[in-house]
Amino acid sequence: MDLKRICAGWLIDGTGGAILRNGVMEITGERILSVSRMDPGARNPGEVLDFSGCTLIPGLIDCHVHLCMSGTTDMTVREKQLTAGFDEAGLSIARHLDQGLDCGVVAVRDAGDRFGHTLRFKQEKFKNTLFPLRLTSAGKAWHASGRYGSLIGRPPEKGESLAQAIERTSLGIDCVKIVNSGVNSMIRYGRQTLPQFNTEELEKATQAARARGLPVMVHANGVEPVLSAVSARVQSIEHGFFMGTENLKRMRDQGVTWVPTAFAMKALADPAVCKIRILVKDGSKYLPHTPVEAHIQKVAEQTLAHQLDQIREAKEIGVKIALGTDSGSIGVNHGVSMVQELSLLLESGLPIQEAIHCATEVGAALLGLEGLGTLAPGKEATFLVVKGAPNKLPESLRQINAFYVKGKRILPPLIY
Ligand SMILES: [Zn+2]
């Protein structure tokens, strides 16, 4: 019998409930058999793995990444990544998946790239292989003609509605990604953009996706763009900066999940990143330390603070929050961004078990990964062991002690 008993000093099961002190998880084959408190008198059969000085958590799920891009702040490198062909992009994608595994990420949802390389990678390289992680992909995103979004997608063709475009191209993707606003202004704090599509267009698009069994994820910042997406009953709002209290309440009432991607904004407040964002040029050289740079930094910091307030409010209201890092954005590196986003969820006031809940059970539900998300009987034995008590999280994720996927111990890197 292949029964293993995993003894852990602390066990966080992914449900957001109380942390189990001195927990025992029994696994057999690929599955979890039981989770309970340790009974010192018990004499059970099977192999015992002692992690009594460690914390056990479920494998982590990142609901928003861009695998073709790294978090590099070098604009020449970014340009190269943006225009790379499939073979070159494939190497980046594999490296970024490995970087995720290094920090315990067992499933990601790719939110789009302009050539659909990630979808092709999944179809060609993931087929019939036993990679220990799950990749779901939106393929190329949709944006309105002339609006923001060309870095990760394309507009419907001339004379074609968004719904028709989805009907024409949905083969092979795991979800539909729609861009319904601009990005946050780094010049004017809180400036909002108009929706890219109206509620009716979004409703028809959502119906077209649903008819194909596909959930819809929507990039939306600001009151109006979020309102039209939520009214169209999409599955998730990505980013959602400045969406406001009323939208949060609507999201709770309609069961829409929020993916706040807060660290992507914190990355922009980094002085090194501000430098490359500024548009003030002296010939071919960027001017260092201009007033513009300081201004951008200030706006990014204010925008981040507002987003953390919204997360606090969402928690009080009862909105489902899933963790997404937006890895691949400027200054947001695959893998470590999981640690950084979890830190911000803690900073917004969530206790560690609830932050982990966002990165496990809520994410698994959003991505439709039934076997993942919690440590409970019948679920996959996919979990991490990190040194120390839960108060060492999320930093302890930078050096994972043991990593099991479907009951087998794995040692990254596995792909690259
Ligand atoms: Zn994104």
Side-chain angles (χ1 to χ4, degrees):
M1 190 170 162
D2 64 346
L3 183 76
K4 287 192 190 83
R5 306 183 79 230
I6 326 272
C7 301
W10 297 265
L11 187 144
I12 299 177
D13 68 3
T15 63
I19 297 169
L20 182 61
R21 186 78 171 97
N22 294 324
V24 182
M25 187 167 78
E26 289 184 317
I27 64 174
T28 173
E30 295 186 352
R31 299 274 156 187
I32 297 170
L33 199 61
S34 68
V35 177
S36 60
R37 193 176 287 277
M38 208 178 298
D39 175 2
R43 284 268 171 269
N44 299 59
E47 186 186 347
V48 176
L49 300 165
D50 182 13
F51 294 115
S52 47
C54 301
T55 302
L56 209 72
I57 61 172
L60 301 170
I61 297 167
D62 188 341
C63 292
H64 192 129
V65 300
H66 298 277
L67 288 169
C68 280
M69 305 294 292
S70 70
T72 181
T73 55
D74 182 329
M75 292 317 261
T76 316
V77 177
R78 291 194 76 77
E79 192 52 37
K80 238 183 121 223
Q81 290 173 346
L82 272 171
T83 52
F86 177 70
D87 290 341
E88 203 182 328
L91 292 174
S92 301
I93 292 166
R95 187 168 51 237
H96 298 150
L97 287 170
D98 265 336
Q99 287 167 349
L101 275 174
D102 272 342
C103 291
V105 177
V106 296
V108 296
R109 180 174 65 164
D110 190 90
D113 65 83
R114 52 154 64 145
F115 299 121
H117 287 327
T118 304
L119 179 62
R120 187 174 157 195
F121 180 90
K122 183 189 168 178
Q123 289 168 337
E124 291 183 11
K125 313 272 181 186
F126 262 52
K127 229 173 191 172
N128 305 322
T129 60
L130 296 168
F131 284 146
L133 55 80
R134 251 50 70 84
L135 165 58
T136 63
S137 167
K140 300 176 196 171
W142 293 107
H143 66 89
S145 183
R147 294 288 305 272
Y148 166 77
S150 63
L151 296 181
I152 55 168
R154 76 302 205 199
E157 283 179 1
K158 250 199 161 89
E160 184 183 53
S161 72
L162 180 59
Q164 287 166 335
I166 290 168
E167 283 162 8
R168 176 170 59 80
T169 58
S170 62
L171 202 68
I173 59 174
D174 302 296
C175 63
V176 172
K177 166 82 181 284
I178 299 170
V179 182
N180 198 39
S181 73
V183 289
N184 287 306
S185 170
M186 288 297 104
I187 302 299
R188 241 182 68 205
Y189 168 74
R191 190 180 75 96
Q192 301 192 13
T193 56
L194 290 171
Q196 297 200 16
F197 301 97
N198 63 38
T199 304
E200 200 193 329
E201 288 172 301
L202 289 171
E203 262 168 10
K204 287 185 175 154
T206 309
Q207 281 162 14
R210 199 179 296 133
R212 284 153 185 78
L214 299 171
V216 178
M217 62 189 294
V218 179
H219 162 121
N221 295 313
V223 175
E224 292 303 319
V226 171
L227 176 58
S228 54
V230 173
S231 303
R233 297 183 176 269
V234 302
Q235 271 66 39
S236 66
I237 295 294
E238 311 294 309
H239 320 303
F241 287 83
F242 304 109
M243 71 166 115
T245 306
E246 289 311 307
N247 272 323
L248 286 171
K249 287 182 181 162
R250 279 186 203 101
M251 286 170 70
R252 173 200 55 202
D253 294 344
Q254 299 191 13
V256 178
T257 304
W258 181 29
V259 184
T261 67
F263 182 74
M265 184 51 61
K266 183 163 182 174
L268 295 183
D270 183 321
V273 175
C274 292
K275 204 170 287 177
I276 60 160
R277 294 277 300 184
I278 62 172
L279 301 168
V280 182
K281 277 187 167 185
D282 171 23
S284 62
K285 285 198 199 102
Y286 289 102
L287 286 173
H289 302 298
T290 63
V292 180
E293 192 181 307
H295 178 74
I296 288 174
Q297 188 176 350
K298 203 176 119 215
V299 171
E301 280 167 0
Q302 285 176 320
T303 307
L304 171 67
H306 186 273
Q307 187 75 330
L308 296 187
D309 283 344
Q310 282 202 145
I311 294 173
R312 209 166 293 133
E313 201 182 358
K315 161 79 183 113
E316 279 167 24
I317 289 174
V319 180
K320 289 187 280 185
I321 301 170
L323 187 144
T325 58
D326 215 356
S327 289
S329 295
I330 297 173
V332 188
N333 295 301
H334 294 267
V336 290
S337 56
M338 174 55 75
V339 180
Q340 291 157 324
E341 188 72 18
L342 281 169
S343 292
L344 290 178
L345 291 179
L346 296 187
E347 200 177 316
S348 78
L350 267 60
I352 186 63
Q353 64 271 32
E354 286 182 20
I356 295 290
H357 173 60
C358 300
T360 53
E361 189 175 27
V362 185
L366 183 60
L367 271 55
L369 302 171
E370 280 173 14
L372 295 177
T374 55
L375 301 179
K379 294 278 182 177
E380 268 179 32
T382 295
F383 58 93
L384 319 168
V385 180
V386 290
K387 277 208 182 94
N391 66 5
K392 300 282 182 234
L393 283 163
E395 287 302 316
S396 52
L397 286 169
R398 290 179 191 266
Q399 207 167 15
I400 292 168
N401 201 11
F403 193 169
Y404 284 78
V405 172
K406 291 188 180 175
K408 285 201 181 74
R409 190 160 183 172
I410 63 158
L411 295 165
L414 295 160
I415 303 166
Y416 183 59

